[in-house]
Amino acid sequence: MYPIRIGSEFLKRGYRVYGLCIKGTRVAKGMQESGIETFEINSKKSLFSNQFLLLSRWLKERDVRIIHSHKSGDVLISALLDLLSKRYSFFTEHMGVTKPKKDIFHQWVYSHLYRVFSISNETYRRNLKALPVEANKINQLWLGTDVPLQSLLSTFDISEIKNELNIPEDSVVIGNVGRICAGKGQAELLEAFSKISTLFSNSHLLLVGGMNVSEGSENDFVASIKKRIKELNLNNRVHLAGFRTDAVRMLSVMDIVCLPNHNEAFGLTAIEAMAAKKAIVGANTGSLPEVLGNAALLCDPFDPNNISQKIEQYLTSSELIQTKSTLAYQRALELFSMDKHITNLETHYTEAYELTKFQSKQ
């Protein structure tokens, strides 16, 4: 949903924004609801058969000179479009590739890119090694989120949300937001919580994330999590909220946000938790140490004992919770605001657009 988010922000700044999407998808619906005019295709296969020339004409009629792709598979589309009409293409590499893409095919495809954005220093290092792109064309560009000047969490009725989720009002909630899959560390977090639950009788675990493949999860993994909850006799202490569109509302009931992600490329949930002024336990791997800085406690995401120890540090010190949550909010405000992110993107787009005007005069 990131393209929808930045598209909406650019619309607010007075830009014209267009989207390419597959008909009937959540992305298509989201773009339409956000006021983004779309070119809809039946499938990627249909685009490469009978709809490609129509797309090129559609872009030309709207004088689109900047293209921004967010999936590696879409970079080929922008390269082919570049053959028909010169445009400046950007690509945000959200994952950080690990397998080299320096064969002849990828060299040709990526040669049509004007700039590659790496969403963290971690992904930047991966991209330098793996992509057939000159170093001066790869930029590190952190993502952003809404960071209110004052906390919005006080506007929520916490008791009402807890009641909705069947969580006791006087409970202490440890939470996690993200796709329910092996790499996000929910299995290790569950084992850690089983230890915490015996020490703190009012502790509860809230897992927010899709519960099936269509929502980004892994079905077998979800099944294993449910089975393990039952084995640990934690059915009344662990709450599976499923896919939610109200992440900030879910964060509002969490006293501690735990993100033991195995090898996160960035950590959008991390900056959302910081913006929500939460005490955070984050993995000491991937990009999370870079994103969180000194605003969180770091853990070994593969060691449930270590995870539980970090959570326990918070549960036994309200002062530590206050200190870290304040640092988290300040860091989000300074480095990860959506306004800052959009302004950075705007600078790159403007640079490319000025080049298109220069070339049109030649």
Side-chain angles (χ1 to χ4, degrees):
M1 295 298 167
Y2 171 76
I4 298 173
R5 186 64 184 281
I6 63 170
S8 299
E9 293 297 326
F10 273 100
L11 284 174
K12 291 177 184 176
R13 295 194 180 197
Y15 289 89
R16 292 180 293 118
V17 181
Y18 305 96
L20 171 64
C21 55
I22 296 176
K23 188 180 299 183
T25 61
R26 188 185 300 164
V27 172
K29 182 180 179 182
M31 285 186 173
Q32 292 160 5
E33 290 175 347
S34 298
I36 299 172
E37 184 181 346
T38 60
F39 184 95
E40 297 188 19
I41 58 176
N42 296 322
S43 65
K44 279 195 176 182
K45 185 178 180 180
S46 68
L47 177 62
F48 289 114
S49 56
N50 61 347
Q51 290 187 292
F52 188 77
L53 291 177
L54 292 176
L55 170 61
S56 180
R57 187 184 309 157
W58 185 82
L59 293 171
K60 192 170 184 179
E61 288 171 351
R62 286 154 182 78
D63 193 30
V64 174
R65 305 183 193 183
I66 306 293
I67 293 178
H68 195 155
S69 302
H70 295 275
K71 287 188 176 181
S72 58
D74 296 339
V75 177
L76 173 59
I77 297 172
S78 67
L80 292 172
L81 287 169
D82 194 44
L83 295 178
L84 298 179
S85 182
K86 179 62 183 175
R87 299 181 180 92
Y88 283 80
S89 296
F90 295 81
F91 170 47
T92 295
E93 219 302 315
H94 289 269
M95 299 304 294
V97 290
T98 53
K99 294 182 179 179
K101 293 187 175 183
K102 297 191 176 182
D103 55 275
I104 294 175
F105 171 74
H106 283 100
Q107 286 180 26
W108 178 81
V109 171
Y110 280 78
S111 70
H112 290 268
L113 289 174
Y114 177 69
R115 189 81 73 230
V116 174
F117 295 131
S118 301
I119 59 176
S120 65
N121 289 330
E122 177 68 21
T123 59
Y124 177 76
R125 288 190 290 269
R126 297 180 200 176
N127 292 338
L128 279 177
K129 291 181 180 180
L131 296 181
V133 179
E134 298 172 8
N136 62 359
K137 288 188 175 184
I138 303 177
N139 289 78
Q140 187 270 337
L141 183 68
W142 277 332
L143 302 182
T145 191
D146 287 328
V147 184
L149 294 179
Q150 292 183 334
S151 175
L152 297 177
L153 300 185
S154 60
T155 65
F156 293 113
D157 187 333
I158 304 302
S159 61
E160 178 183 323
I161 301 172
K162 283 186 173 180
N163 182 62
E164 172 192 323
L165 297 169
N166 294 315
I167 299 175
E169 188 172 343
D170 63 348
S171 61
V172 174
V173 180
I174 298 142
N176 176 280
V177 181
R179 293 186 300 114
I180 309 296
C181 62
K184 297 296 183 181
Q186 289 99 347
E188 291 82 4
L189 175 55
L190 178 58
E191 297 302 323
F193 179 72
S194 71
K195 302 176 187 299
I196 291 294
S197 66
T198 62
L199 299 173
F200 301 89
S201 59
N202 66 335
S203 60
H204 284 250
L205 177 62
L206 174 60
L207 301 179
V208 179
M211 302 297 287
N212 54 62
V213 171
S214 67
E215 295 173 336
S217 71
E218 298 170 356
N219 285 352
D220 291 343
F221 183 78
V222 172
S224 70
I225 288 290
K226 290 180 177 179
K227 180 182 178 182
R228 188 59 179 150
I229 292 171
K230 187 174 182 180
E231 290 172 348
L232 293 168
N233 196 29
L234 290 173
N235 288 302
N236 295 325
R237 303 279 293 278
V238 179
H239 309 269
L240 301 173
F243 175 80
R244 307 284 299 218
T245 57
D246 56 348
V248 174
R249 191 166 172 267
M250 292 296 99
L251 284 167
S252 71
V253 302
M254 299 177 189
D255 298 285
I256 299 164
V257 176
C258 188
L259 305 170
N261 305 31
H262 295 175
N263 191 21
E264 193 69 13
F266 177 70
L268 189 57
T269 299
I271 64 173
E272 290 174 343
M274 286 194 288
K277 204 174 183 179
K278 293 296 172 178
I280 304 166
V281 174
N284 61 8
T285 58
S287 67
L288 286 183
E290 165 197 343
V291 172
L292 294 168
N294 67 342
L297 298 180
L298 299 182
C299 67
D300 180 344
F302 301 98
D303 183 354
N305 286 326
N306 188 245
I307 297 170
S308 66
Q309 289 167 7
K310 300 299 181 179
I311 294 172
E312 188 176 348
Q313 282 184 243
Y314 279 132
L315 293 176
T316 55
S317 175
S318 57
E319 183 180 347
L320 182 61
I321 287 180
Q322 180 63 40
T323 298
K324 289 296 187 182
S325 62
T326 300
L327 284 172
Y329 175 76
Q330 291 172 344
R331 184 171 175 81
L333 193 63
E334 180 183 350
L335 300 175
F336 298 107
S337 72
M338 179 58 73
D339 184 66
K340 184 178 184 69
H341 177 65
I342 295 298
T343 297
N344 288 337
L345 269 180
E346 187 177 32
T347 299
H348 288 286
Y349 289 164
T350 300
E351 175 187 277
Y353 187 74
E354 291 301 319
L355 287 174
T356 68
K357 292 198 296 183
F358 174 75
Q359 290 174 344
S360 65
K361 294 177 180 179
Q362 291 182 316

